[in-house]
Amino acid sequence: IIGPSSPPYTGMSVATETILKSSLQDQFNIIHLDTVDKRAIGNMGRFDFINIILAFSHFFRFIKLCVKEKPVLIYLPIAQNLPGYLRDSLFLTVSRILEIKTVVHLHGGYFRDFYEKSSLGGKGLIRFTLKNVSGVIVLGHCLKYIFDGLIDEKKIFVVPNGIRDNFNGYQRIYHHSGPTRLLFLSNFLKDKGIFEVLRVIPDILSYTKNVRFIFAGEWYKEKEKEEALEFIKQKGIESYVEFKGVVEGVSKEKCLINSDIFLLPTFYPFEGQPLTILEAMSSGLPVITTNKGAISETVLDGENGFHVKAKNSLELIEKIMELVSCPDLREKIGRRNRETYLNKYTQDIFVGNLYRVLKKAVSKTVGIRKKVLFIVPLPPPYAGPEVISEMLLQSCLKENYELIHLRSNLNAKNKDKGRVHFLSAARFIMLCFKIIKVCIFQKPSVIYLLLSQNFTGFVRDSLVLFICKAFQKKIVFHFHGSNFENFYNCQSEIFKAYIRFLLRRIDILILQARWLKKFFLRFVSDEKLKVIYNPVNAIQFSPGRVSAQTGNKINVFYMSYLSIAKGFLVFVKVIREIIKENRDIHFFIAGGIIDRERNIFFSQNGERIEFNDVNKIIHDIKYDKLINQQITFLNEIKNMKRKRDIFSRSDIFVLPSYSEGCPMVVLEAMASGLPVVVTPVGALPEIIEEGKNGFFVKIGDPISLKEKIILLANNIPLCREIGENNRRLIESKFTVETIIPQFQDVF
């Protein structure tokens, strides 16, 4: 890792320290070449004697480290000016001669201008030094054009900046009274827009005196400092302006917390994606800035802040006054910024994205997409494994891997799963021939398939594994359930030995809950076990109806298969009891009917579900005059639009299941902002905090289920609070953008 430490504080130095202190230490043996210049920030990028001495000192240390440590990868933040790039070209030339893979990271947005303005010799040097790099990192998709014609497009990666969350657990209080405090936090360069802010202060004061302007940072030039102070004195605005100097740590956090609006009307030519904007967003501040560099992708005009044209005082005044005069708008944008930060710009997301780029660069097949064979079912039916498989095949994995798919659905309907008959056997034989054909002609590197927790499914999975292992393929099994231990315990000793034999031949086993590792560690080593929760496309779901007005009926929603294993019978008992006492609760029930559930073990004593006449129960409900007006049956919902519509009309979601993995429908309900009442099965105890994100009820216990439904139905404010908590939780931890890259790491 080549890069400066802090101080002085720049985007490059902060990013370098973030990398050095991150979880990348667990993945790589990191060696750091510190290129810091401890003098004032104004000395950066200059041709002077000390900078020349520093450049050669860093260069000779670099050669020494290359010879001594023999690194397999060099990470280099590149400069956007001639003095800095001349130094970087020394590093790049040596790495090319020594054939060391190199990833360069552009922390700004000026490099294309720098290249175009260079002489013919300068352009030749840039092309020569960048020709063999393994990858280039830019801060936004809008900046990929910078390396057009200089780097193969496949080697250009987008990694937005990310910062540590210093405001986790802090609930910002949005002040609607007292002076509005506007914060400018940056190094004090003219091009950063500090004078643009100073010049509009007198105009702002002509509208309102109830404002204060806070400036925090380090002056770049003493002359500019004197100019600014003289302007403030001439205009007589001293009492409305405060200079904090350089703020760090707790001082910076207090500065952000105590402010109401963040200002950075930058026109700095080297601008990339200012960390101070991300800090403002993480603290929940609305932002007024320009669209320089990657800011246009970070701050969306009118959504989580405002753009103004560079050096346009009228626009700046207009946007400042719009936020100053509307506290509710400040709060709305501020909360949206906090959510945007949690979804895109945390330190963990940055490090994860960077890790994937570095890992790809280290790989011997940089630029060549590996092939992954997916042997998975697809909808219909719309069960969790089918939905997740479809989501993976349509995800960003396609950008890095060539995905080959063989559909493994052997039965037309979910209720036929586990049934062995001529048609399913014929389909399986055809599937085996297709797998052999793909292994011979398309040569996938990795094979991904699902692990069953029933007898017939496991036998089928084991045969597929033996075929793939015969071709020496890496196998990734994904276990979507939580009852494998019960399934194992109910088998004969001979079949148990067969199960152990197969599990020990898996290369990686993906689980959906951490507690499941305890059982599988008996057969699979810890490094082969990965826990990945299911993702949700949160943007598809809007908040539910938990803000229902008093007097409206409360809508309780159950969506899953109508079967004993999913707790449907327990739910029906509860419905009857609730309706006898309360006619203001309506129940929506959606899902396909499963009368016969083969090979399913769901209790600790190995009780086997075989048959239950769900059709008869539903028939009895429909003809029961006491309750049929309070229940709406929706059948199986296959359309996302319809599912979203039902969620938006609901107030409470219920799933009293006997067994789950990481149920998609519960995550979708949480993404819709609904409180959930569930049993503590599968991954749910690891995702849901009792009373904060929902409530747990005992398995098979209608009494506790009834109590929790009544509790929520009688407390709409509690429903709303839990629903908002759920929406935030999904957006921060369970989005497609957060979860899918974990599969990429596995592959």
Side-chain angles (χ1 to χ4, degrees):
I1 303 289
I2 301 175
S5 58
S6 303
Y9 291 91
T10 64
M12 200 178 293
S13 67
V14 172
T16 301
E17 292 197 339
T18 297
I19 294 168
L20 294 175
K21 295 176 182 178
S22 73
S23 58
L24 287 176
Q25 295 179 89
D26 302 327
Q27 310 296 334
F28 299 99
N29 177 21
I30 294 179
I31 306 152
H32 178 218
L33 174 59
D34 194 352
T35 57
V36 67
D37 180 354
K38 290 292 185 182
R39 296 175 297 167
I41 193 170
N43 294 293
M44 292 177 61
R46 289 182 176 178
F47 265 126
D48 62 31
F49 179 73
I50 294 179
N51 275 339
I52 293 173
I53 295 297
L54 283 172
F56 280 103
S57 172
H58 297 152
F59 175 61
F60 287 121
R61 284 169 53 207
F62 171 70
I63 293 177
K64 182 179 178 181
L65 286 172
C66 286
V67 173
K68 180 182 177 182
E69 303 289 350
K70 297 180 175 59
V72 295
L73 180 69
I74 293 167
Y75 167 86
L76 171 67
I78 56 170
Q80 307 178 91
N81 57 46
L82 183 59
Y85 196 81
L86 286 175
R87 178 204 60 190
D88 294 342
S89 66
L90 296 175
F91 299 139
L92 291 168
T93 302
V94 170
S95 66
R96 181 173 176 180
I97 293 171
L98 297 178
E99 297 183 346
I100 304 173
K101 296 181 184 299
T102 305
V103 170
V104 298
H105 196 159
L106 178 63
H107 282 277
Y110 185 73
F111 193 88
R112 191 73 197 188
D113 295 297
F114 163 58
Y115 172 77
E116 296 295 346
K117 293 175 182 178
S118 297
S119 64
L120 287 177
K123 289 179 179 177
L125 176 66
I126 292 170
R127 288 195 300 271
F128 171 80
T129 50
L130 292 181
K131 184 176 181 179
N132 281 30
V133 298
S134 300
V136 171
I137 298 172
V138 294
L139 297 169
H141 292 277
C142 62
L143 300 180
K144 292 177 74 172
Y145 80 94
I146 287 174
F147 292 98
D148 284 349
L150 299 176
I151 298 288
D152 184 347
E153 186 180 356
K154 294 179 181 178
K155 294 183 179 181
I156 303 174
F157 304 96
V158 176
V159 179
N161 281 330
I163 58 172
R164 187 175 63 186
D165 187 3
N166 293 318
F167 302 94
N168 185 27
Y170 167 75
Q171 187 67 38
R172 170 179 281 280
I173 299 173
Y174 291 90
H175 301 285
H176 289 202
S177 60
T180 304
R181 299 170 66 86
L182 297 95
L183 174 65
F184 179 96
L185 173 62
S186 178
N187 290 315
F188 294 162
L189 286 75
K190 264 191 175 181
D191 292 351
K192 287 284 187 177
I194 183 170
F195 282 92
E196 311 311 306
V197 176
L198 287 172
R199 290 190 189 103
V200 302
I201 294 176
D203 296 290
I204 298 295
L205 293 175
S206 68
Y207 292 103
T208 176
K209 298 289 194 298
N210 199 27
V211 290
R212 298 292 182 273
F213 288 83
I214 314 301
F215 295 86
E218 179 182 358
W219 283 102
Y220 189 72
K221 296 178 181 178
E222 190 64 28
K223 182 180 178 182
E224 291 179 358
K225 177 180 178 181
E226 293 172 0
E227 184 182 342
L229 295 177
E230 180 62 26
F231 176 84
I232 292 168
K233 185 177 179 181
Q234 285 181 358
K235 298 296 182 179
I237 57 176
E238 296 97 326
S239 58
Y240 299 96
V241 176
E242 180 183 357
F243 283 92
K244 294 273 190 183
V246 177
V247 289
E248 304 170 19
V250 176
S251 299
K252 182 189 286 188
E253 292 167 25
K254 287 182 178 178
C255 203
L256 288 162
I257 289 170
N258 294 326
S259 300
D260 301 293
I261 301 170
F262 182 82
L263 304 174
L264 191 69
T266 177
F267 48 95
Y268 185 54
F270 299 96
E271 202 71 84
Q273 187 184 41
L275 295 180
T276 55
I277 287 182
L278 301 187
E279 289 169 339
M281 292 171 66
S282 73
S283 71
L285 284 178
V287 175
I288 299 176
T289 183
T290 57
N291 64 351
K292 286 290 290 182
I295 297 176
S296 59
E297 292 182 11
T298 311
V299 178
L300 303 181
D301 188 31
E303 290 190 24
N304 60 320
F306 292 115
H307 291 170
V308 296
K309 292 177 183 176
K311 303 181 184 180
N312 191 316
S313 298
L314 291 177
E315 280 194 14
L316 184 57
I317 293 168
E318 178 187 340
K319 297 306 180 185
I320 288 175
M321 287 308 303
E322 185 173 348
L323 288 176
V324 167
S325 60
C326 189
D328 289 337
L329 181 60
R330 295 203 302 267
E331 179 174 351
K332 179 182 177 182
I333 293 177
R335 292 188 187 280
R336 191 176 294 156
N337 267 337
R338 174 68 181 168
E339 292 175 6
T340 303
Y341 159 75
L342 290 173
N343 289 336
K344 295 182 178 180
Y345 302 115
T346 64
Q347 183 173 297
D348 288 344
I349 293 173
F350 165 71
V351 171
N353 290 332
L354 182 60
Y355 167 66
R356 284 182 282 279
V357 174
L358 299 181
K359 185 180 178 183
K360 186 169 185 178
V362 170
S363 169
K364 294 179 181 179
T365 55
V366 172
I368 301 174
R369 295 199 303 168
K370 290 185 177 181
K371 297 177 181 178
V372 179
L373 171 59
F374 279 71
I375 307 173
V376 293
L378 290 181
Y382 289 83
E386 284 81 1
V387 172
I388 293 298
S389 298
E390 185 175 52
M391 192 177 292
L392 287 171
L393 289 169
Q394 295 176 356
S395 72
C396 60
L397 289 173
K398 294 188 294 185
E399 298 174 6
N400 299 298
Y401 298 94
E402 182 179 334
L403 305 184
I404 308 164
H405 176 231
L406 292 178
R407 186 163 181 159
S408 65
N409 302 61
L410 301 180
N411 297 286
K413 297 180 181 179
N414 195 292
K415 65 181 181 181
D416 292 325
K417 280 187 176 180
R419 182 183 174 192
V420 180
H421 52 71
F422 175 78
L423 190 57
S424 65
R427 285 174 177 163
F428 178 68
I429 293 171
M430 289 299 298
L431 175 64
C432 291
F433 280 116
K434 289 178 182 178
I435 293 170
I436 294 170
K437 182 180 178 181
V438 169
C439 288
I440 293 173
F441 293 105
Q442 294 185 266
K443 297 180 174 62
S445 304
V446 179
I447 296 178
Y448 169 91
L449 60 160
L450 309 185
L451 181 65
S452 301
Q453 56 182 353
N454 61 67
F455 182 85
T456 53
F458 189 86
V459 171
R460 178 200 64 196
D461 297 341
S462 65
L463 294 175
V464 172
L465 181 137
F466 293 139
I467 291 172
C468 297
K469 280 298 179 182
F471 289 94
Q472 298 182 327
K473 303 301 179 183
K474 297 289 185 182
I475 305 295
V476 175
F477 263 113
H478 194 166
F479 179 50
H480 278 268
S482 63
N483 265 331
F484 199 92
E485 184 174 1
N486 289 330
F487 158 65
Y488 175 82
N489 291 335
C490 294
Q491 305 306 317
S492 66
E493 291 302 318
I494 294 176
F495 199 73
K496 283 181 181 178
Y498 182 73
I499 293 173
R500 295 194 296 270
F501 176 78
L502 180 130
L503 290 178
R504 287 172 180 146
R505 275 146 188 80
I506 296 174
D507 292 291
I508 288 184
L509 176 58
I510 301 174
L511 306 174
Q512 294 192 323
R514 288 191 298 271
W515 66 268
L516 289 171
K517 292 180 71 174
K518 184 178 179 181
F519 169 76
F520 284 102
L521 280 171
R522 294 156 60 182
F523 319 114
V524 183
S525 60
D526 186 55
E527 62 269 18
K528 292 185 177 182
L529 294 176
K530 307 294 180 184
V531 177
I532 303 179
Y533 299 116
N534 281 339
V536 175
N537 197 342
I539 198 170
Q540 291 185 331
F541 296 93
S542 55
R545 205 181 65 111
V546 291
S547 59
Q549 299 296 317
T550 305
N552 288 348
K553 282 190 175 183
I554 299 299
N555 291 334
V556 178
F557 186 26
Y558 168 100
M559 181 167 67
S560 189
Y561 286 105
L562 310 188
S563 68
I564 186 172
K566 294 295 184 178
F568 177 65
L569 273 69
V570 177
F571 186 56
V572 169
K573 291 178 183 177
V574 170
I575 291 175
R576 292 182 183 277
E577 292 299 318
I578 291 177
I579 289 177
K580 288 177 184 178
E581 303 172 12
N582 191 330
R583 304 291 292 179
D584 291 330
I585 299 179
H586 193 87
F587 296 88
F588 288 102
I589 297 175
I593 298 172
I594 297 182
D595 271 342
R596 185 178 294 276
E597 304 183 68
R598 296 173 176 82
N599 305 315
I600 303 296
F601 299 87
F602 70 95
S603 67
Q604 293 301 320
N605 61 6
E607 181 182 347
R608 184 192 295 260
I609 302 173
E610 276 295 340
F611 181 80
N612 194 81
D613 196 347
V614 176
N615 270 310
K616 184 177 184 306
I617 293 170
I618 294 173
H619 177 273
D620 292 344
I621 291 173
K622 289 181 177 179
Y623 286 91
D624 187 332
K625 294 181 180 180
L626 176 66
I627 66 173
N628 63 1
Q629 298 299 316
Q630 303 294 107
I631 300 176
T632 301
F633 282 96
L634 302 170
N635 298 321
E636 184 178 1
I637 297 178
K638 302 178 181 180
N639 183 284
M640 180 57 70
K641 182 180 179 182
R642 180 161 169 74
K643 182 189 290 187
R644 185 168 58 240
D645 176 60
I646 299 299
F647 274 128
S648 68
R649 290 160 55 193
S650 302
D651 301 294
I652 302 167
F653 181 81
V654 175
L655 186 67
S657 180
Y658 283 78
S659 173
E660 293 290 347
C662 181
M664 285 288 297
V665 67
V666 175
L667 298 178
E668 289 169 345
M670 295 170 70
S672 301
L674 296 180
V676 296
V677 181
V678 294
T679 45
V681 293
L684 294 178
E686 298 172 12
I687 295 172
I688 295 171
E689 185 178 339
E690 177 81 10
K692 181 179 179 182
N693 305 103
F695 291 103
F696 290 114
V697 296
K698 295 178 183 177
I699 295 174
D701 181 12
I703 296 174
S704 62
L705 179 59
K706 174 186 172 183
E707 289 175 352
K708 298 306 181 186
I709 292 175
I710 295 296
L711 170 65
L712 287 169
N714 292 337
N715 195 337
I716 290 299
L718 178 61
C719 286
R720 186 182 302 118
E721 179 185 343
I722 292 176
E724 290 174 354
N725 290 340
N726 281 341
R727 177 74 182 181
R728 285 195 294 270
L729 177 65
I730 295 298
E731 288 180 341
S732 63
K733 292 185 178 180
F734 297 97
T735 61
V736 171
E737 293 78 13
T738 303
I739 300 295
I740 295 298
Q742 297 177 35
F743 285 92
Q744 182 166 308
D745 291 343
V746 166
F747 294 146

